[in-house]
């Protein structure tokens, strides 16, 4: 069975500081991994995805994530936080041949001025 | 613009009442999903449909029902059997999973009890 663990339900950073949101997954087969962002009272928007190929994936708004198979991790980073990055972020895993995507519990990012 | 439209944005339910949440997509996607979102619990799958006239229960289907009579529409009914319906409900659609595509989400419906 697949599962996703996001470490830290809340993360707070100062504007301009590094953003690091942690995601670990478990999967019996090579996974497909996604990061989504959710702003208040809205649906989820795709930030980036990893399917195959290059393990460092770049997404929108300056975010990137690195797939590390040995660590079963897919952490999300951004070099310099902006106030507009304040939102909830979800890591998700799926696999080929299946119709389910498993979402983590989410990490709420706060950005301090 | 292609996308997913959920309506209404806010909905109130009285005791013993069934309510229906609408979800329409013009992305021509085969697969559609309903999720329930509660604070701190992420997204939990209620029902999903891979093709018209077919749907499957997700992890928390009790107290809910769906239909899929048209490709673009996947309404969710919250029945009176759902004793704790207060939540944010999200509808999503997707190209077939085999293509490794992400899910596309609507802006949600917030359901509350009167």
């Amino acid at each position: 069975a697949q599962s996703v663990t996001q470490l830290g339900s809340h993360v707070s950073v100062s504007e301009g500081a590094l953003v690091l949101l942690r995601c670990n997954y478990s999967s019996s087969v090579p996974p497909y991994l996604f990061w989504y962002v959710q702003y208040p009272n809205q649906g989820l928007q795709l930030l980036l995805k990893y399917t195959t190929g290059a393990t460092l994936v770049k997404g929108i708004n300056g975010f990137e994530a690195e797939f590390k198979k040995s660590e079963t991790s897919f952490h999300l980073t951004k070099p310099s936080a902006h106030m507009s990055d304040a939102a909830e972020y979800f890591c998700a895993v799926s696999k080929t041949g299946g119709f389910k995507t498993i979402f983590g519990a989410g990490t709420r990012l706060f950005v301090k001025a | 613009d292609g996308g997913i439209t959920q309506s209404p944005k806010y909905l109130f339910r009285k005791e013993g009442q069934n309510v229906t949440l609408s979800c329409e997509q013009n992305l021509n996607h085969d697969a559609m999903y309903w999720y329930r979102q509660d604070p701190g619990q992420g997204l939990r799958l209620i029902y999903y449909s891979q093709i018209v006239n077919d749907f499957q229960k997700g992890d928390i289907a009790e107290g809910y029902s769906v239909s899929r009579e048209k490709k673009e529409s996947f309404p969710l009914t919250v029945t009176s059997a759902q004793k704790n319906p207060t939540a944010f409900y999200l509808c999503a659609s997707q190209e077939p999973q085999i293509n490794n595509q992400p899910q596309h989400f609507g802006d949600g419906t917030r359901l509350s009890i009167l």
Side-chain angles (χ1 to χ4, degrees), chain B:
Chain B
D1 284 342
I4 298 182
T5 302
Q6 290 188 241
S7 63
K9 194 165 181 64
Y10 298 96
L11 188 57
F12 298 91
R13 196 192 87 170
K14 296 179 181 178
E15 292 288 339
Q17 186 182 39
N18 294 352
V19 292
T20 298
L21 284 60
S22 171
C23 177
E24 303 278 331
Q25 56 105 352
N26 60 5
L27 298 167
N28 201 34
H29 288 169
D30 285 315
M32 296 188 75
Y33 305 81
W34 274 106
Y35 294 95
R36 171 178 172 142
Q37 186 176 19
D38 296 281
Q41 295 194 44
L43 276 65
R44 293 185 289 169
L45 182 64
I46 305 173
Y47 269 97
Y48 64 102
S49 169
Q50 300 175 22
I51 199 168
V52 174
N53 293 322
D54 182 65
F55 48 83
Q56 309 294 328
K57 292 182 178 180
D59 302 316
I60 57 165
E62 186 174 350
Y64 300 97
S65 66
V66 293
S67 63
R68 188 83 188 279
E69 298 176 1
K70 298 185 296 182
K71 186 175 186 178
E72 59 270 23
S73 179
F74 191 40
L76 172 75
T77 296
V78 183
T79 75
S80 57
Q82 173 50 247
K83 297 307 180 187
N84 184 24
T86 298
F88 191 52
Y89 291 86
L90 287 165
C91 179
S93 71
Q94 186 182 30
E95 288 287 351
Q97 187 71 26
I98 192 170
N99 292 327
N100 314 328
Q101 296 302 304
Q103 295 189 3
H104 297 254
F105 286 83
D107 278 340
T109 292
R110 190 168 297 281
L111 177 61
S112 302
I113 293 293
L114 276 179

Side-chain angles (χ1 to χ4, degrees), chain A residues 72-104:
Chain A
T72 62
S73 69
F74 191 57
H75 301 331
L76 181 71
T77 61
K78 181 174 180 177
S80 177
H82 191 273
M83 296 297 287
S84 61
D85 295 326
E88 188 152 23
Y89 292 80
F90 292 91
C91 182
V93 61
S94 67
K95 62 179 181 178
T96 187
F99 271 84
K100 285 188 179 182
T101 297
I102 308 300
F103 290 85

Side-chain angles (χ1 to χ4, degrees), chain A:
Chain A
Q2 296 176 300
S3 67
V4 177
T5 302
Q6 292 186 239
L7 298 175
S9 59
H10 296 84
V11 170
S12 182
V13 300
S14 298
E15 193 172 20
L18 171 72
V19 175
L20 171 61
L21 304 183
R22 300 178 187 273
C23 173
N24 288 89
Y25 69 91
S26 68
S27 178
S28 58
V29 297
Y32 304 130
L33 295 160
F34 306 85
W35 275 101
Y36 292 85
V37 61
Q38 184 182 33
Y39 298 100
N41 293 313
Q42 293 186 21
L44 278 65
Q45 304 171 31
L46 180 70
L47 274 179
L48 49 80
K49 67 177 182 179
Y50 169 80
T51 53
T52 58
T55 57
L56 182 62
V57 180
K58 294 188 183 298
I60 62 172
N61 300 337
F63 284 93
E64 62 182 34
E66 187 171 9
F67 171 60
K68 292 188 176 181
K69 184 178 179 179
S70 61
E71 299 177 8
T72 62
S73 69
F74 191 57
H75 301 331
L76 181 71
T77 61
K78 181 174 180 177
S80 177
H82 191 273
M83 296 297 287
S84 61
D85 295 326
E88 188 152 23
Y89 292 80
F90 292 91
C91 182
V93 61
S94 67
K95 62 179 181 178
T96 187
F99 271 84
K100 285 188 179 182
T101 297
I102 308 300
F103 290 85
T107 297
R108 184 167 294 279
L109 176 66
F110 297 92
V111 182
K112 300 174 292 185

